[in-house]
Amino acid sequence: MRGTLTPPGGDAAALAASVDRYEATERAIGSAADELMRVVMEGDSVSIDALNDKARTASGHLSQAHVRYQGTRAALRSYTVDLVSFHTEATAAIEREQAARQEAHEANEDLTDAAHHARSAAMNPQDQATIDHWQVQAYLARHRRDVAEDTMAAAEFEYYKAADALEQAAQRAIALIEVAFDGTNDSRMDRLKNALADVVSFLSSLTNWVADFFKAALQLIVEAVAIFVAAVLLAIAVVALIALLVVVLAATIALIVNVIVGVLVTVVFLLIVGAVVYDVATEWGVDDLARIRMVLAGLAVACPALGYFLLKRIQGELSKPAPKVALLDPGSVVDHDASKLTVQEQALADLETNEPDSVDDFLWQAEAVDTIGGGAQTVVDIAKIVQEDGTVSWIVTLPSTKDWVVPSDQGATNDLDADLVLLAFPELKSQYEKAVMDAMAQAGIGEGEPVLLTGWSLGGILAGHLAQTGAGGYDYAGLVVAGAPIDHMSISANVPVIQVKHTTDPVHRADMIDSVPDQGSHISLWDGDRSGIGLDLKTKAVGHNAIQYHETLAQHVTANESLNDAFRDFYVVDDPNHTGKPTIEHAQYAFSE
């Protein structure tokens, strides 16, 4: 029988008293700042003027402190309300669990007693009525015990749900306090000034290099004129040509500088706007999906051209019909040159023969479907595994973003449009999602047959979305993703998840979440210092690379083979204790816009 729930910790009354003291301190600081400013405004003499300068400085510091106290007090006041709610819900859950525990204990004793009487009655087969009576009593006692245990489990679920809500409230309070303190320092502006100073330094160095280069060239020309008088006309022509090149180069440099400065200013401006909207959304306590939408809306308002581009991409994605899905035509991959295999042909051949026996093999398959499909079409691999005992499981491998729609749309549905819809408006179905669901239906995945979803980047986003929503009614029993922003998704704790992240990869932070504590069967694996096993940072392509993600996961599996345990149903491994051999059949489905 499971252990009893512990009484909730935390003293809401004491916290409320502490918040009241913060509020009193806040009012005192505000009054002090106002009084100093009154002295500044009413004073009139040389000595008073000197004092006023110091008073203004002191008043400014007091105002900053007032803002910090005000933000801290507001955060703690909100957390106090959540703590009271947690105590109420947790105490109610404990009371239900204790009552159910007592009922289970009594039912178990009744079951033992009824079973004893039933065994005694069975010794007299002629008295069938007595035998039936005690068998019925045993059934009723067993039923009461099962109901009580279900009630205990439900109470335990509600208790930990309340505890999770309290933890989220604590994180919001911490974020609000950090905002209150960050709002009164200039560290961001200092970093911006330093960045602009670095740009100016770079341009200055570039200008000096150009000047030194042409100075040396002109010196060589002068020496040539002095030595070879007969080549005077040629030297003049060379000088004229160099002068022309100087003018062209100077104009080109000026143009490049203007473009660089324009891009830098735009990027910095958008970063500032995004940071401000993010802070506001966090302070308001909106959920993660709403925060993503608020930041996108803020960027669209700040840069109408960007907003128009995003709106057109999303509108275009939703207006297109569902793609036609069919088994992959080998002719679209094979070039019929038997003397040499292309990269696509090699990937297809390796995928067809792959028999996964470790969790990192699933990420290798994700890289393979990327290579096979490219930007022209989307390729999804759906593998059917039949174990030695006849049970069936499935692996659905989803490709990442292969079409960035700039300068033109190539045709693959796993494109930037799908990224925008899945990340910001997941309730709207992209062409990518519609086609994947069609492919799964064509593959014949049966009811109750476990399905593992795997992919990286966009493939990981779609995998998390399908598992979160239970799309298609399939039994999603595992998730292996990399470089994918899925921390904001509410995936069932019953679904084992391995999420691989690189410290230098900004993509898995696209939901504006760096990391969340591992809970239940959701495991995050990192590189670098955060790996815990001494891995180096993956810096190539800012850490967003499928091959490197596969390597990171493989090294984690080498260090901890228990990572494989939750995914045993999806390996093709011959068990010597059984006759026969497990089989796997890969099928690739292709589609395009």
Side-chain angles (χ1 to χ4, degrees):
M1 186 176 292
R2 52 172 57 83
T4 59
L5 299 175
T6 59
D11 188 343
L15 180 58
S18 297
V19 174
D20 290 339
R21 288 195 297 272
Y22 261 100
E23 186 172 5
T25 303
E26 173 200 334
R27 288 197 300 269
I29 291 174
S31 297
D34 292 339
E35 183 63 23
L36 280 174
M37 288 306 300
R38 185 186 64 78
V39 172
V40 170
M41 299 303 296
E42 295 178 0
D44 183 19
S45 71
V46 175
S47 57
I48 290 297
D49 289 341
L51 179 60
N52 284 349
D53 292 336
K54 297 182 178 180
R56 289 190 182 94
T57 301
S59 177
H61 291 305
L62 285 173
S63 296
Q64 289 183 351
H66 178 244
V67 171
R68 296 180 180 180
Y69 268 90
Q70 186 181 50
T72 302
R73 186 261 304 166
L76 293 178
R77 181 73 73 191
S78 175
Y79 181 70
T80 301
V81 174
D82 292 316
L83 181 58
V84 171
S85 176
F86 166 67
H87 271 264
T88 302
E89 295 175 8
T91 301
I94 290 173
E95 291 174 354
R96 291 196 299 275
E97 188 265 356
Q98 290 176 346
R101 182 178 296 277
Q102 180 61 32
E103 176 64 17
H105 175 73
E106 293 174 0
N108 201 51
E109 289 183 346
D110 291 345
L111 176 60
T112 302
D113 183 67
H116 171 73
H117 284 290
R119 287 195 297 271
S120 298
M123 299 177 65
N124 185 14
Q126 289 77 18
D127 191 2
Q128 186 61 41
T130 303
I131 294 174
D132 293 340
H133 170 76
W134 288 111
Q135 286 179 343
V136 169
Q137 293 302 314
Y139 169 81
L140 293 175
R142 186 179 297 106
H143 177 70
R144 285 170 49 214
R145 183 193 62 187
D146 293 342
V147 171
E149 289 182 349
D150 290 342
T151 302
M152 290 165 59
E156 182 178 349
F157 174 81
E158 291 299 325
Y159 179 92
Y160 288 112
K161 179 181 178 182
D164 289 342
L166 181 63
E167 172 63 20
Q168 294 174 8
Q171 294 300 326
R172 289 195 298 271
I174 291 171
L176 289 172
I177 292 171
E178 290 176 347
V179 168
F181 278 77
D182 287 344
T184 56
N185 64 62
D186 298 324
S187 58
R188 292 179 181 169
M189 186 58 68
D190 291 341
R191 289 194 293 270
L192 176 60
K193 290 179 179 178
N194 292 336
L196 293 177
D198 291 340
V199 172
V200 173
S201 177
F202 164 75
L203 295 177
S204 176
S205 300
L206 181 63
T207 302
N208 291 336
W209 174 84
V210 171
D212 292 342
F213 173 81
F214 286 110
K215 179 180 179 181
L218 289 172
Q219 183 177 357
L220 289 175
I221 293 172
V222 172
E223 293 176 355
V225 171
I227 297 173
F228 303 100
V229 178
V232 170
L233 293 177
L234 179 60
I236 293 174
V238 171
V239 172
L241 178 60
I242 292 177
L244 177 61
L245 290 176
V246 170
V247 173
V248 172
L249 181 58
T252 302
I253 292 175
L255 178 61
I256 293 174
V257 168
N258 288 333
V259 171
I260 292 175
V261 171
V263 170
L264 285 176
V265 170
T266 301
V267 170
V268 170
F269 175 68
L270 292 178
L271 287 175
I272 293 174
V273 170
V276 170
V277 175
Y278 175 86
D279 289 343
V280 171
T282 302
E283 185 173 359
W284 287 355
V286 300
D287 61 41
D288 296 321
L289 182 57
R291 184 167 56 195
I292 293 173
R293 292 173 175 174
M294 285 182 64
V295 171
L296 282 178
L299 295 178
V301 171
C303 182
L306 175 62
Y308 176 79
F309 173 79
L310 296 177
L311 184 62
K312 289 294 292 182
R313 296 315 313 175
I314 294 174
Q315 185 273 334
E317 175 72 4
L318 299 179
S319 65
K320 297 174 183 176
K324 182 179 180 181
V325 180
L327 287 170
L328 175 67
D329 177 14
S332 65
V333 176
V334 179
D335 64 358
H336 305 293
D337 182 1
S339 63
K340 183 179 180 181
L341 290 177
T342 65
V343 176
Q344 285 182 301
E345 291 172 332
Q346 186 65 60
L348 180 59
D350 292 342
L351 181 60
E352 284 283 1
T353 58
N354 185 50
E355 297 182 350
D357 60 4
S358 176
V359 68
D360 57 286
D361 289 339
F362 303 137
L363 284 187
W364 176 89
Q365 292 187 177
E367 166 63 13
V369 295
D370 272 3
T371 302
I372 296 169
Q377 62 180 343
T378 303
V379 173
V380 175
D381 182 82
I382 301 180
K384 179 181 181 181
I385 301 173
V386 181
Q387 299 292 352
E388 295 168 341
D389 60 358
T391 59
V392 175
S393 57
W394 301 80
I395 303 173
V396 178
T397 305
L398 305 169
S400 67
T401 308
K402 299 302 291 182
D403 178 10
W404 294 100
V405 305
V406 176
S408 62
D409 200 339
Q410 299 183 57
T413 64
N414 48 319
D415 56 11
L416 177 64
D417 303 343
D419 278 300
L420 293 172
V421 172
L422 279 170
L423 190 60
F425 305 96
E427 67 273 20
L428 306 175
K429 293 186 181 298
S430 64
Q431 290 185 292
Y432 187 23
E433 180 181 352
K434 293 176 183 177
V436 168
M437 298 309 299
D438 190 356
M440 293 175 68
Q442 291 187 33
I445 300 175
E447 182 178 358
E449 294 174 347
V451 177
L452 179 139
L453 299 170
T454 182
W456 82 287
S457 193
L458 173 60
I461 300 175
L462 179 57
H465 171 68
L466 296 180
Q468 177 188 24
T469 59
Y474 297 109
D475 180 16
Y476 298 111
L479 205 64
V480 180
V481 302
I486 66 169
D487 286 317
H488 66 290
M489 298 181 183
S490 300
I491 300 172
S492 171
N494 297 324
V495 178
V497 178
I498 287 184
Q499 183 182 6
V500 191
K501 304 175 180 178
H502 283 164
T503 305
T504 58
D505 184 3
V507 176
H508 67 79
R509 299 179 175 90
D511 55 1
M512 288 168 283
I513 300 175
D514 178 60
S515 64
V516 294
D518 288 341
Q519 295 182 355
S521 55
H522 190 141
I523 300 173
S524 296
L525 302 175
W526 291 82
D527 64 345
D529 294 337
R530 303 175 75 172
S531 69
I533 59 173
L535 296 186
D536 293 331
L537 290 176
K538 300 295 191 299
T539 56
K540 180 180 178 182
V542 292
H544 194 65
N545 181 278
I547 296 176
Q548 291 181 346
Y549 268 120
H550 172 248
E551 293 172 353
T552 298
L553 180 53
Q555 289 175 299
H556 274 283
V557 172
T558 300
N560 180 13
E561 292 186 356
S562 67
L563 293 171
N564 285 317
D565 293 345
F567 304 91
R568 298 291 180 188
D569 291 341
F570 306 99
Y571 301 145
V572 182
V573 179
D574 190 11
D575 187 351
N577 297 320
H578 293 82
T579 58
K581 183 179 180 181
T583 61
I584 183 171
E585 180 180 0
H586 289 271
Q588 294 81 41
Y589 294 84
F591 42 91
S592 58
E593 296 182 348

